[in-house]
């Protein structure tokens, strides 16, 4: 039963102008699309500048909002161009921008604070603390993580200082958004750059398709989502066909308007449009198991193929037209309508009509005005008014020209260019060089005695703090927060951090933006982990302003570009270890929720095994309790590259499954060249 509560916005994908019109026809309240550059769906058709202008004009006429995605991570040399892309699109009338890069968001908000920014899932906003920090940067909306549960969503919506947007239908990554490096590390195509090769959709030995999830479908939970107060319900699919976009949007539009959840009929229709062996809502309901897995079968493809070429109706906006043809006065045609709750009017004027023995009838003029094909408008007969004096005549061509002028003027009025009064760009500080050696040990049992003399900082998992304290002491010891956490998990994390502080520990490795307020409150000196995805100087500078004293750069940008960044604070890079491939909320070994023992944030465990790719490479599965990390089969070793590492203020050695660490120390002490199978090609990239 429908209530008086405001319905959430229905937000639909538009990978092409045709898909955009399909989304509008299906009943979308808003559409999202990417420009030709800087979009996380780089293989979609996307929109050039003319297409953006036309999209805004069309959508404004139909009362539909437009959001543009600029949601990849950016290097220093790209940041200015990406910001200009946003400024131009804002002038054209785009309503909001979906952004992942903290540096870009801070730059845009500082220069033009009136621009509306939405935090992409690629920004890894997870909880209320994330929303608090994102608001300070300038975001007015956060896209919730796709792995969020019903209870966590309720807490987020109730307490968030900004709006919450939620994916309700379409493909979902098994990795937490913004935390997948698998395609980049293994195949050289970065998901953070919109070029993901989707290695999660491949089989992994005896484990089968252990990483391939079914598409999400929350159509059976729409009434409770509306009651919660979700601001926007988002459909995934910028790589999908117009027929798919129209079909899915129309079903969700109908369900929302009728105030009900999907029944069997709608679920079958949605499945026929596209599915991977059906749908899942496992994250939302907390039923995280093997039943979440699915692949695209031959039958699935056959069912979807039936859609090809299906007719899509055109949605039009209702307007009123009035022609005034008076003796001795210029002829006028006025078009008017209600758009976004406001009346908008435009009048086109022409020549003074001629006197004639046989005057033009009002019916003939009305007939000409009614010809609105080729426009996004329609007018009911009763809303077409004609005031014409007897004895006057105008050619049909002139009346048609006036009608076209009135409609075009109405479109131009609706999509009038906005003006920007730019402010100064955010400044960069002065770099403060230092020389530190840092380590991370996933298993505190493997910390050797020489580590305490070799390293200046030793980070361990938060849950292992007390155990490490007994052997390492507090002078160099630091805590490493779990990389992901939802709101129901934060209280326990905060309590563990308080206990660590009480022991005298002063340092923290921050793996997510949501940890910053916890560290500020407790007074930890913060080092930003590579999971913060720092790609540019503006991102670094903003993190410094938020209290972080140094950061580990993203491994994706390469050493040369990373070392060239200019901002205050300390720069670091990973010099040894297995790079993380992805972070997940479900375990591919246990076929269910993360299986850490004792606490949801337990000391890192190997989880009992690995999965194997098609070449037989062993991908370690490392369980941290509430999340699971896949580790690269090959170890990154840079012991013989002191000249490159010397450009950074500190280097990090990450130890996960190693038991004999002494030989590794010797390599780095003496600058020895490593032997055996290793990786470091990612660090030599220079094209970005």
């Amino acid at each position: 039963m429908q209530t008086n509560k405001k319905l959430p916005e229905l937000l639909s994908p538009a990978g092409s102008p045709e898909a955009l019109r399909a989304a509008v026809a299906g009943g979308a309240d808003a559409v999202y699309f990417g420009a030709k550059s800087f979009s996380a769906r780089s293989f979609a058709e996307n929109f050039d500048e003319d297409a953006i202008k036309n999209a805004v004009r069309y959508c404004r006429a139909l009362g539909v909002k437009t959001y543009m995605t600029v949601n990849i991570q950016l290097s220093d040399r790209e940041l200015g161009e990406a910001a200009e892309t946003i400024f131009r699109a804002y002038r054209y009338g785009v309503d909001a921008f979906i952004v992942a890069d903290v540096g870009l968001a801070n730059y845009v908000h500082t220069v033009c604070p009136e621009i509306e920014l939405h935090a992409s899932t690629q920004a890894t906003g997870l909880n209320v603390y994330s929303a608090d920090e994102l608001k300070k940067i300038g975001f007015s909306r956060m896209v919730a993580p796709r792995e969020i549960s019903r209870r966590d969503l309720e807490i987020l919506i109730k307490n968030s200082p900004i709006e919450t947007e939620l994916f309700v239908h379409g493909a979902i990554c098994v990795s937490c958004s913004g935390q997948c490096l698998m395609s980049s590390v293994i195949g050289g195509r970065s998901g953070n750059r919109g070029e993901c090769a989707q290695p999660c959709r491949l089989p992994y030995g005896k484990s089968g398709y252990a990483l391939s999830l079914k598409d999400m479908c929350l159509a059976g939970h729409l009434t409770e989502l509306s009651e919660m107060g979700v601001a926007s319900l988002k459909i995934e699919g910028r790589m999908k066909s117009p027929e798919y976009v129209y079909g899915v949007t129309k079903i969700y539009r109908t369900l929302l308007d009728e105030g009900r959840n999907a029944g069997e009929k709608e679920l079958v229709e949605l499945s026929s449009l596209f599915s991977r062996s059906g749908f899942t809502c496992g994250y939302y309901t907390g039923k995280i198991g093997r039943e979440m897995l699915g692949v695209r079968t031959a039958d699935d493809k056959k069912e979807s193929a039936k859609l090809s070429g299906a007719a899509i109706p055109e949605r039009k906006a209702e307007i009123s037209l009035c022609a005034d043809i008076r003796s001795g006065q210029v002829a006028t045609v006025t078009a008017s309508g209600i758009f976004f709750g406001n009346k908008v009017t435009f009048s086109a004027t022409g020549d003074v009509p001629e006197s004639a023995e046989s005057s033009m009838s009002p019916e003939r003029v009305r007939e000409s005005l009614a010809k609105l094909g080729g426009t996004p408008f329609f007018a009911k007969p009763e809303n077409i008014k004609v005031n014409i004096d007897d004895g006057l005549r105008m050619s049909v061509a002139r009346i048609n020209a006036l009608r076209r002028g009135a409609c075009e003027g109405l479109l131009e009025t609706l999509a009038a260019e906005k003006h920007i009064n730019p402010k100064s760009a955010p400044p960069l500080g002065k770099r403060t060089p230092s020389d530190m050696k840092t380590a991370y040990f996933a298993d505190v049992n493997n910390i050797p005695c020489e580590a305490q003399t070799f390293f200046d900082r030793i980070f361990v998992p938060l849950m292992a703090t007390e155990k490490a304290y007994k052997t390492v002491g507090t002078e160099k010891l630091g805590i490493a927060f779990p990389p992901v956490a939802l709101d129901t998990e934060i209280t326990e994390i905060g309590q563990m951090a308080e206990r660590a502080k009480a022991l005298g520990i002063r340092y923290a490795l921050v793996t997510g933006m949501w940890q910053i307020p916890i560290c500020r409150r407790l007074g930890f000196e913060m080092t930003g982990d590579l999971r913060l995805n720092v790609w540019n100087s503006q991102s670094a500078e903003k993190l410094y302003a938020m209290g972080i004293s140094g950061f580990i750069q993203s491994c994706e940008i390469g050493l040369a570009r990373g070392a060239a960044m200019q901002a205050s604070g300390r720069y670091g890079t990973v010099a040894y270890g297995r790079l993380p491939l992805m972070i997940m909320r479900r375990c591919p070994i246990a076929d269910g929720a993360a299986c850490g023992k004792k606490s949801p944030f337990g000391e890192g465990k190997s989880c009992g095994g690995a999965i194997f790719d098609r070449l037989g490479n062993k991908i370690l599965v490392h369980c941290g309790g509430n999340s699971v990390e896949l580790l690269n089969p090959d170890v990154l070793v840079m012991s013989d590259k002191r000249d490159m590492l010397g450009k950074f203020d500190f280097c990090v050695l990450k130890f996960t499954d190693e038991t004999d660490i002494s030989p590794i120390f010797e390599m780095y002490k003496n600058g020895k060249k490593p032997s055996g199978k290793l990786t470091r090609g990612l660090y030599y990239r220079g094209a970005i």
Side-chain angles (χ1 to χ4, degrees), residues 3-78:
T3 68
N4 292 325
K5 194 174 184 73
K6 182 183 176 183
L7 290 178
E9 169 188 273
L10 181 59
L11 175 58
S12 294
S16 66
E18 294 76 21
L20 182 142
R21 288 179 174 267
V24 172
D29 297 306
V31 295
Y32 65 102
F33 54 84
K36 287 293 186 182
S37 302
F38 313 121
S39 168
R41 290 291 182 271
S42 62
F43 301 120
E45 181 179 332
N46 293 319
F47 289 62
D48 60 22
E49 288 202 21
D50 286 340
I52 293 171
K53 292 178 184 177
N54 291 334
V56 170
R57 279 164 50 100
Y58 178 74
C59 288
R60 281 288 174 86
L62 292 158
V64 174
K65 289 188 175 183
T66 51
Y67 304 152
M68 195 169 90
T69 60
V70 189
N71 57 342
I72 64 170
Q73 300 298 330
L74 301 157
S75 68
D76 273 331
R77 73 174 188 177
E78 295 173 311

Side-chain angles (χ1 to χ4, degrees), residues 385-407:
K385 308 294 183 184
V386 176
N387 302 310
I388 184 169
D389 290 344
D390 291 338
L392 296 180
R393 174 178 289 279
M394 288 187 70
S395 70
V396 171
R398 289 183 179 179
I399 293 173
N400 288 342
L402 286 174
R403 182 202 68 234
R404 287 193 295 269
C407 291

